Amino acid sequence: MTTTSLTHDPAGFYDRLGPLHYEPLWRMRGALPLEPVTAMVPHLWRYDEVRPLIMEAGDLITAEEAERRVLALKNPGTATHEVARATDTLWAAIQLVLPGEVAPAHRHTPAALRFVIEGEGGYTTVNDERYDMRPGDLILTPNWSWHSHGHTGGAPMLWLDGLDLPLSHALHTVFAEFPPAEARRPAASPAGPARTHAFPFAEMRAALEARRDEPGDPYDDILIEYLHPETSGPVMPTISAAIQLLRPGVRTAAHRHTHSVVYHVAAGSGWSTIGGQRFEWTRGDTFAVPCWVPHRHANPTNGDALLFSFSDAPVLDALGLSRESAVDEEIH
Ligand code: GTQ
Ligand code: FE2
């Protein structure tokens, strides 16, 4: 096809199409890129930056007034009219609940998880079952489950929220329900033995420890996915979660995949390169790996590094859209 054939238009055909709501595919750019394209960029949010900011928000507004006292981690590639997002499909945020506070019950179609960063005595209720929150614990609040947060301890509770909110927005499937004020106090019945919605840190840490002497995965070193206790599949239909141990001195190989990932540093420190950019990280930091961006991780220290992560992999798997490839390490 020559340039002339794209501009040749003696009858003004192209100018007549727009007002009639047509567009010729042969003049479109980007409808079928050779590889995934995203406006999202690799980014890291430092805990020593966000912690003082969310504590400042603690003086500005109560958890109850705010509904949720949450600072979203907004990818610099997010367009101004779009809802905040860490990647195209994933929401990540830091939430603060102060001693004695309540974040009232509500429910919504976006699915959520919480990974506890600091504090003792906080809890989340899921459909009126109470789950206590300790650092390193993972708590799930699936699609349309009632949930609230409370705090009977003495020090601030901070955690990472992960939701499929941008995906739900893209699909225009967001519903939410906020009951009348008198029905919104958290219920206090203790969680049943099945603990369908909680994964204690101690158990995951022990599981990683038991696998310490295995060869490890070239891209992830020692990684354990959190599995739904009944299906043995991903914890929720739209979000999978994992915790990984990067053993001292480990440097993983580089790869890329169509699912996007939010990583959160649960312990230790190290660095990752994402799209050729190097990010140094330490406990509490959170970073985003957008779809199809090459990345690798390293722990150059003498101690263990633990990364919690969540991704949209179950969505892509279900739709036949999962792709993965190794990347030349000389380039990345
Ligand atoms: O804790 O219920 O980060 O509804 C975003 C939306 C947290 C929550 C978020 C939410 C919540
Ligand atoms: Fe919520």
Side-chain angles (χ1 to χ4, degrees):
M1 190 185 336
T2 66
T3 312
T4 324
S5 66
L6 285 174
T7 53
H8 177 71
D9 188 16
F13 174 71
Y14 294 128
D15 290 343
R16 299 198 311 273
L17 293 177
L20 297 173
H21 313 291
Y22 297 103
E23 188 177 349
L25 174 59
W26 66 90
R27 301 233 297 188
M28 280 181 209
R29 293 188 183 277
L32 291 170
L34 297 178
E35 290 187 335
V37 172
T38 177
M40 297 289 105
V41 297
H43 194 76
L44 181 142
W45 295 265
R46 294 176 58 92
Y47 193 54
D48 71 4
E49 178 179 83
V50 68
R51 193 185 187 284
L53 292 171
I54 191 83
M55 292 307 292
E56 205 179 329
D59 296 330
L60 274 182
I61 191 163
T62 67
E64 199 148 4
E65 285 165 344
E67 181 80 23
R68 297 294 186 262
R69 191 196 287 110
V70 157
L71 280 182
L73 308 184
K74 187 175 181 179
N75 191 289
T78 311
T80 39
H81 64 276
E82 289 174 331
V83 70
R85 62 200 60 194
T87 74
D88 287 299
T89 52
L90 301 172
W91 165 282
I94 303 295
Q95 181 160 172
L96 167 67
V97 177
L98 291 168
E101 283 191 325
V102 164
H106 69 201
R107 63 176 171 176
H108 38 70
T109 48
L113 58 76
R114 345 254 156 209
F115 186 82
V116 182
I117 304 173
E118 61 172 282
E120 295 285 338
Y123 60 92
T124 291
T125 70
V126 188
N127 294 328
D128 290 341
E129 283 191 340
R130 175 178 163 149
Y131 294 90
D132 291 325
M133 302 171 93
R134 290 177 203 84
D137 290 353
L138 176 68
I139 318 276
L140 310 176
T141 59
N143 179 336
W144 211 238
S145 57
W146 289 106
H147 55 281
S148 65
H149 312 296
H151 191 1
T152 53
M157 285 294 308
L158 291 107
W159 64 80
L160 175 78
D161 285 319
L163 285 86
D164 58 7
L165 192 66
L167 176 69
S168 297
H169 273 277
L171 298 173
H172 301 282
T173 51
V174 178
F175 293 86
E177 190 176 352
F178 304 92
E182 61 276 12
R184 305 189 72 193
R185 302 296 299 180
S189 61
R195 292 182 315 180
T196 315
H197 300 108
F199 298 82
F201 178 66
E203 287 176 21
M204 299 308 287
R205 187 71 184 90
L208 286 171
E209 207 52 46
R211 293 178 47 184
R212 172 184 287 281
D213 297 324
E214 292 182 9
D217 181 88
Y219 304 113
D220 286 312
D221 204 24
I222 307 290
L223 179 140
I224 297 181
E225 184 182 347
Y226 295 81
L227 295 178
H228 189 286
E230 278 137 36
T231 67
S232 296
V235 284
M236 293 185 287
T238 51
I239 307 179
S240 64
I243 191 155
Q244 71 196 84
L245 164 63
L246 297 175
R247 293 170 290 184
V250 151
R251 182 188 290 214
T252 69
H255 73 159
R256 60 172 145 193
H257 37 65
T258 47
H259 58 279
S260 61
V261 187
V262 173
Y263 287 93
H264 176 82
V265 185
S269 41
W271 55 263
S272 300
T273 59
I274 314 169
Q277 218 182 320
R278 184 176 162 122
F279 295 90
E280 308 272 347
W281 41 255
T282 192
R283 187 178 134 73
D285 295 349
T286 305
F287 56 95
V289 176
C291 62
W292 209 239
V293 177
H295 55 279
R296 67 193 303 196
H297 311 295
N299 171 12
T301 75
N302 312 322
D304 288 345
L306 297 179
L307 295 178
F308 169 77
S309 63
F310 62 97
S311 93
D312 60 356
V315 177
L316 302 189
D317 281 344
L319 300 179
L321 299 174
S322 292
R323 302 286 188 281
E324 177 173 5
S325 77
V327 175
D328 187 344
E329 303 193 17
E330 297 307 309
I331 299 168
H332 297 282

